[in-house]
Amino acid sequence: MAPSQKPLTFTGDENFRKGACHGTQWFLETTRTLIAEGRSPGEIVEHLNDLSTVIVAWRGGAGELPDGNPWDWSFKDLASVIKARKEE
């Protein structure tokens, strides 16, 4: 029998859920945009991988990053962070 699980109730858990939902929405909207632009599946996967490295760096507080959440950054800031991550 599986142990019962408590629902998430802490403020930190709530913030995590909100962030996870925003991040997921960001990935979904980005994917739809890339499909609409006619990008190939390989290009889409590569871009989503780039976004995932941004999320990991942002969550870990690594390096100089723009203020706020990645999904709120300008395209210029996002491209700059992606480029910096690829050069590492």
Side-chain angles (χ1 to χ4, degrees):
M1 182 180 280
S4 63
Q5 294 181 342
K6 288 182 165 183
L8 300 174
T9 56
F10 297 108
T11 303
D13 294 334
E14 181 68 22
N15 290 337
F16 174 80
R17 286 193 305 236
K18 286 179 184 177
C21 287
H22 282 113
T24 301
Q25 184 66 30
W26 183 43
F27 274 63
L28 179 61
E29 288 175 7
T30 299
T31 301
R32 286 179 175 162
T33 300
L34 295 173
I35 289 169
E37 290 175 355
R39 302 284 183 100
S40 72
E43 289 174 315
I44 294 170
V45 167
E46 182 179 348
H47 189 72
L48 294 177
N49 281 333
D50 291 342
L51 296 184
S52 71
T53 62
V54 168
I55 291 282
V56 168
W58 170 75
R59 184 76 175 133
E64 289 289 322
L65 298 173
D67 291 332
N69 301 312
W71 46 87
D72 294 329
W73 296 345
S74 69
F75 289 121
K76 181 181 177 184
D77 286 343
L78 181 59
S80 172
V81 171
I82 289 171
K83 182 180 177 186
R85 294 286 163 232
K86 285 185 173 186
E87 292 174 352
E88 291 180 346

